Amino acid sequence: MSAQERLTDALYGLGWGTVKKLPEPVAVRLGRTIADIAWKQRGKGVRRLESNYARVVPDAGPERLAELSRAGMRSYLRYWMESFRLPAWSPERIRNGFDPKDVHHLTDGLASDQGVILALPHLANWDLAGAWVTTELETPFATVAERLKPETLYDRFVAYREGLGMEVLPHSGGTAFGTLARRLRDGGLVCLVADRDLSASGVEVDFFGATARMPAGPALLAQQTGALLLPVTLWYDDSPVMRGRVHPPVEVPESGTRAEKTSVMTQALADTFASGIAEHPEDWHMLQRLWLDDLDPTKGPS
């Protein structure tokens, strides 16, 4: 393990070990302070966030983009402060911490025993939404996690999410898809963050007027298992409560090849994600390159 990896692992360990013990108002202030310091330093992540916002809000000038990126960093650090503290939250705090609309799409799907796939973008706090599902709805679910370096950091994230009631499968290794399909055929729930896929298997979609790749997994799982595919969008307001919406199902097209159906369904997900991101751009935590133009250093914003 390199010195940088040891430092990264130690910092996350400090977060989960220390931040969760802080009084909530102190943790909120700490998160905002760290966010403002990072924003003022204008590091690579902040610049990329601002560049991504420029696509989402194309008529925004430099001042508006600066305001958005500052709000975006505060939202991002709110996510981290909440995540560090979630293991110490009581069931009541978790239940009261999230107020989703149109949950009937999810509960009706679960009651039908046909299986449900929830697909989310990197909006607000998807871990809190998951903890709410396992606590308020008393419904466990399966998800996947990208293998992080160092391995000890990946293990921390797996233990953290399993502690919230999630079954966490490694993204790599080739076995996750089959396991998720089995859970869905048994009438279970699968939750996937699905707005960024830079692999060769990603599906190209039109996203805010330019081409990006999103994972094929949600659409393929729905086709293979007959499970409902439900997009979810999340956002923060000025209260301590996160808001959200479960959107109507993405239907499987009646005709076309598997690849064509997957393309149509993934585009439908992208369109729903875009609507939620456009309404609350500051809560979209995309500090990495996403659009294909941006992956080519000779094109697009730096």
Side-chain angles (χ1 to χ4, degrees):
M1 187 189 302
S2 69
Q4 180 63 45
E5 288 174 342
R6 285 196 297 272
L7 176 60
T8 299
D9 182 58
L11 288 174
Y12 279 100
L14 181 65
W16 271 302
T18 302
V19 173
K20 71 180 181 182
K21 299 176 183 176
L22 297 175
E24 191 154 344
V26 176
V28 170
R29 288 196 299 271
L30 176 62
R32 179 163 291 205
T33 299
I34 295 172
D36 288 349
I37 291 171
W39 177 76
K40 288 176 183 177
Q41 290 178 340
R42 291 194 59 78
K44 184 179 179 181
V46 173
R47 296 196 307 273
R48 172 51 48 191
L49 184 67
E50 208 164 282
S51 176
N52 290 339
Y53 287 158
R55 291 188 183 270
V56 173
V57 190
D59 58 346
E63 288 187 7
R64 172 63 176 145
L65 287 175
E67 291 173 358
L68 271 176
S69 64
R70 183 177 190 181
M73 290 304 295
R74 287 183 171 185
S75 176
Y76 185 49
L77 264 294
R78 175 173 171 175
Y79 160 77
W80 278 113
M81 291 296 114
E82 287 179 349
S83 294
F84 287 142
R85 292 175 54 75
L86 262 175
W89 280 13
S90 67
E92 181 181 13
R93 178 67 181 88
I94 292 172
R95 291 188 186 102
N96 294 335
F98 182 37
D99 179 26
K101 302 178 185 298
D102 299 329
V103 181
H104 66 275
H105 292 303
L106 170 57
T107 54
D108 290 351
L110 292 172
S112 73
D113 288 330
Q114 70 181 108
V116 177
I117 306 157
L118 297 179
L120 308 87
H122 286 81
L123 274 170
N125 191 339
W126 46 96
D127 284 331
L128 173 55
W132 185 89
V133 167
T134 60
T135 303
E136 174 67 16
L137 302 184
E138 298 182 341
T139 301
F141 64 86
T143 187
V144 297
E146 183 178 356
R147 281 203 174 275
L148 303 171
K149 290 184 178 180
E151 191 76 14
T152 51
L153 179 57
Y154 171 76
D155 292 341
R156 285 185 190 276
F157 270 96
V158 170
Y160 157 63
R161 290 186 169 125
E162 287 180 341
L164 298 175
M166 310 175 192
E167 178 187 12
V168 183
L169 306 171
H171 188 271
S172 58
T175 61
F177 187 90
T179 303
L180 295 176
R182 286 193 295 274
R183 300 293 181 267
L184 292 168
R185 290 194 186 98
D186 290 339
L189 176 63
V190 165
C191 299
L192 300 169
V193 179
D195 58 344
R196 183 174 185 261
D197 186 343
L198 304 183
S199 71
S201 62
V203 179
E204 292 192 2
V205 295
D206 180 85
F207 196 54
F208 291 101
T211 303
R213 284 198 194 103
M214 294 188 180
L220 289 173
L221 284 167
Q223 292 176 63
Q224 185 162 316
T225 67
L228 282 180
L229 175 54
L230 303 177
V232 177
T233 53
L234 308 170
W235 66 92
Y236 290 129
D237 57 19
D238 293 332
S239 77
V241 180
M242 183 176 72
R243 313 296 174 176
R245 176 172 286 107
V246 182
H247 296 265
V250 172
E251 302 291 344
V252 178
E254 294 182 2
S255 61
T257 65
R258 187 183 189 190
E260 289 169 343
K261 291 178 180 180
T262 301
S263 178
V264 170
M265 296 173 72
T266 306
Q267 183 63 60
L269 280 180
D271 291 343
T272 303
F273 292 167
S275 69
I277 292 166
E279 290 177 3
H280 305 278
E282 67 280 2
D283 292 323
W284 188 43
H285 308 150
M286 187 54 66
L287 281 73
Q288 301 85 23
R289 297 175 186 269
L290 177 72
W291 284 273
L292 300 193
D293 283 350
D294 291 346
L295 297 174
D296 183 344
T298 66
K299 298 179 179 179
S302 59

